[in-house]
């Protein structure tokens, strides 16, 4: 019954290997060779330390197994394998370490040499060899010179020759030297800041331009609004001025109308004023208001003067001067009491004193008036005089005659 092998990895074709020796078997006359894979190489050892290699697909015969007296057999994988590693090597400043990314592919070229080398971990051996070759080179470069350091490191590896040749290996390596992660993170942040600055500068310029346009738009709107307000104020001022001018013109027109009607009232009498009001009925209210005011003022003044004159004392009339005013007052009272309320004109009562007041006392008749002796007057005129009123037919009041004892208004312009 065969014993299990001394070393067995139980690896298949796609297994990741670090040691190409798959199995190690102990051989003797009574222990036959176990079955092996046809693509693996067999390395037989002798008691004297010799190594006999059978590359695939060669295998020893039974005669050789019986006569060679091999003590053990190494089954070596001859396929290609890949390995990756990251090395941290010091730079010119011990505070900063280069990150050396190592990727390699290896294969056993000489199985006997590999068995004799005693290596059991090929990726570790490759890392050790690469580190020994690159450490003195990278010590001469600063962290910022990672590109130049990588170039010189590759040249150093090429000058060192094939890695693992002494161990019967064919190693093909590729390296990439990077700065440490902290430095890379700082560069990333600086780059992001630079990108943000590049993005913010046009954005800032755009925002500033937008603000300028908004300010210009607001200023233009404010100026337009100010111009509109100024125009509105100017129009309002013009309207106020026009309204004031119109009011002044209306006042002037009213004043002229008042003066006009006052003239006709004083000089043409009520008939003339009535004629003018018939032609312009819209002025009746204005005339009546001013007429009332003027009459009240005139009556108040006349009453004040009359009371002062009749009161005696300083500024009053003498006793011999009171006869005529008393006679006039009695006549006016008689006329008022004897007057009949009618729509027609009130006949004027002409008394002797009033005639004497209006006409000078002369004995000789005027040239325009014919005397009774000449036959120009009636018998009644001769008897009673020119100012007497007959009882049979009272004379009609003249067109511009006196009214209620007031003097006749002067003839207005025709």
């Amino acid at each position: 019954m065969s014993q299990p092998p001394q070393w067995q990895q139980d690896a298949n074709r796609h297994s990741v290997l670090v040691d190409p020796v798959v199995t190690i078997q102990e051989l003797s006359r009574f222990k036959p060779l176990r079955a092996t894979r046809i693509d693996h190489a067999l390395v037989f050892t002798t008691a004297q330390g010799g190594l006999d290699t059978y590359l695939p697909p060669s295998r020893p015969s039974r005669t050789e197994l019986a006569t060679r007296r091999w003590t053990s057999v190494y089954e070596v994988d001859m396929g290609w394998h890949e390995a990756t590693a990251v090395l941290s090597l010091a730079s010119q400043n011990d505070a900063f370490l280069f990150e050396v990314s190592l990727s390699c592919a290896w294969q056993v070229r000489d199985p006997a040499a590999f068995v004799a080398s005693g290596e059991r971990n090929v990726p570790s051996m490759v890392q050790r060899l690469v580190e020994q070759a690159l450490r003195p080179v990278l010590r001469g470069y600063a962290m910022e010179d990672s590109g130049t350091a990588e170039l010189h490191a590759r040249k150093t590896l090429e000058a060192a020759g094939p890695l693992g040749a002494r161990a019967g290996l064919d190693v093909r390596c590729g390296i990439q030297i990077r700065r440490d992660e902290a430095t890379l993170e700082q560069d990333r942040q600086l780059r992001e800041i630079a990108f943000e600055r590049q993005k913010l500068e046009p954005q800032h310029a755009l925002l500033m331009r937008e603000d300028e346009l908004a300010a210009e738009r607001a200023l233009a709107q404010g100026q337009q609004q100010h111009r509109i307000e100024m125009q509105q104020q100017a129009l309002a001022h013009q309207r106020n001025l026009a309204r004031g001018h119109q009011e002044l013109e209306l006042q002037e027109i009213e004043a002229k109308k008042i003066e006009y009607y006052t003239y006709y009232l004083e000089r043409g009498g009520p008939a003339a004023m009535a004629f003018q009001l018939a032609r312009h009925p819209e002025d009746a209210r204005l005339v009546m208001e001013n007429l009332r005011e003027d009459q009240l003022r005139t009556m108040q003044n006349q009453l004040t003067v009359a009371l002062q004159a009749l009161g005696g004392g300083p500024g009053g009339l003498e006793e011999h001067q009171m006869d005529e005013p008393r006679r006039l007052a009695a006549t006016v009272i008689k006329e008022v009491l004897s007057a009949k309320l009618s729509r027609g004109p009130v006949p004027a009562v002409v008394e002797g004193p009033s005639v004497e007041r209006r006409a000078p006392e002369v004995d000789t008749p005027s040239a325009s008036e014919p005397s009774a002796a000449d036959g120009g007057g009636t018998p009644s005129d001769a008897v009673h005089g020119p100012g007497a009123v007959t009882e049979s037919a009272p004379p009609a009041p003249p067109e511009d005659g006196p009214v209620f004892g007031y003097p006749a208004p002067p003839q207005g312009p025709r």
Side-chain angles (χ1 to χ4, degrees), residues 6-72:
Q6 296 179 352
W7 166 256
Q8 185 176 3
Q9 296 194 47
D10 295 330
N12 54 29
R13 291 176 61 91
H14 303 289
S15 299
V16 178
L17 299 177
V18 295
D19 185 2
V21 177
V22 179
T23 60
I24 301 175
Q25 299 181 29
E26 185 180 359
L27 299 178
S28 65
R29 185 177 298 180
F30 305 101
K31 292 179 181 180
L33 180 64
R34 293 169 59 91
T36 59
R37 290 179 53 174
I38 194 63
D39 57 345
H40 290 174
L42 299 179
V43 179
F44 294 90
T45 62
T46 62
Q48 291 78 19
L51 298 174
D52 297 332
T53 304
Y54 288 86
L55 298 177
S58 300
R59 289 293 181 267
S61 63
R62 292 182 179 180
T63 304
E64 291 176 342
L65 289 174
T67 58
R68 290 292 185 93
R69 296 183 179 181
W70 291 321
T71 58
S72 62

Side-chain angles (χ1 to χ4, degrees), residues 334-351:
K334 187 186 298 181
E335 290 177 355
V336 172
L337 294 177
S338 63
K340 296 181 179 180
L341 297 177
S342 63
R343 296 182 180 179
V346 180
V349 179
V350 181
E351 296 293 337

Side-chain angles (χ1 to χ4, degrees), residues 81-85 102-106 122-123 126-127 163 171-174:
H81 302 277
E82 294 181 358
T84 57
L102 176 64
S103 60
C104 63
W106 56 272
V122 177
V126 175
Q127 294 179 18
L163 298 177
V171 180
R172 300 176 184 179
C173 292

Side-chain angles (χ1 to χ4, degrees), residues 324-335:
E324 186 69 18
R326 290 171 180 168
R327 192 180 309 148
L328 290 174
T331 304
V332 171
I333 292 173
K334 187 186 298 181
E335 290 177 355

Side-chain angles (χ1 to χ4, degrees), residues 94-300:
D94 292 337
F96 304 102
L97 299 177
F98 285 114
E99 290 184 359
V100 181
S101 299
L102 176 64
S103 60
C104 63
W106 56 272
Q107 182 186 27
V108 177
R109 286 292 184 175
D110 189 354
F114 182 78
V115 172
S117 66
E119 295 290 343
R120 295 295 180 263
N121 193 326
V122 177
S124 297
M125 181 194 69
V126 175
Q127 294 179 18
R128 183 176 66 251
L129 296 176
V130 171
E131 184 176 353
Q132 291 175 358
L134 298 184
R135 184 179 297 275
V137 177
L138 298 181
R139 288 291 290 180
Y141 294 94
M143 182 61 65
E144 292 77 10
D145 301 332
S146 59
T148 306
E150 180 179 345
L151 179 60
H152 284 78
R154 289 181 179 178
K155 291 181 179 180
T156 302
L157 289 179
E158 292 176 358
L163 298 177
R166 295 181 180 181
L169 298 174
D170 183 9
V171 180
R172 300 176 184 179
C173 292
I175 61 173
Q176 181 183 4
I177 299 177
R178 301 174 59 200
R179 289 174 289 178
D180 58 353
E181 190 63 29
T183 306
L184 294 177
E185 184 64 25
Q186 182 182 10
D187 288 344
R188 293 191 191 98
Q189 293 178 0
L190 293 176
R191 183 180 61 180
E192 291 177 358
I193 292 174
F195 287 167
E196 291 293 332
R197 183 183 296 110
Q198 293 177 1
K199 183 174 67 176
L200 286 176
E201 287 178 357
Q203 185 177 2
H204 175 70
L206 179 61
L207 293 177
M208 291 296 294
R209 183 57 181 168
E210 290 180 355
D211 293 341
E212 291 177 359
L213 293 177
E216 292 177 0
R217 188 182 304 109
L219 180 60
Q221 292 177 355
Q223 292 177 352
Q224 182 68 18
Q225 186 67 24
H226 178 69
R227 286 195 295 269
I228 293 174
E229 292 178 357
M230 291 297 294
Q231 291 177 1
Q232 292 177 353
Q233 292 178 1
L235 292 176
H237 180 65
Q238 292 178 2
R239 285 196 296 268
N240 293 332
L241 289 178
R243 190 181 297 110
H245 288 308
Q246 291 177 358
E247 292 178 357
L248 291 177
E249 291 177 358
L250 290 176
Q251 291 178 1
E252 291 178 358
I253 292 173
E254 291 178 356
K256 290 181 180 180
K257 286 183 179 180
I258 293 172
E259 182 180 359
Y260 178 77
Y261 288 115
T262 302
Y263 173 81
Y264 274 96
L265 182 62
E266 292 179 354
R267 292 170 175 78
M273 185 183 69
F275 174 72
Q276 294 297 330
L277 289 177
R279 295 178 61 187
H280 302 283
E282 67 275 3
D283 297 336
R285 181 177 180 181
L286 176 66
V287 172
M288 294 304 295
E289 291 178 355
N290 289 275
L291 181 61
R292 295 191 190 99
E293 185 178 357
D294 293 342
Q295 287 178 350
L296 290 176
R297 189 181 301 110
T298 303
M299 292 175 63
Q300 184 69 26

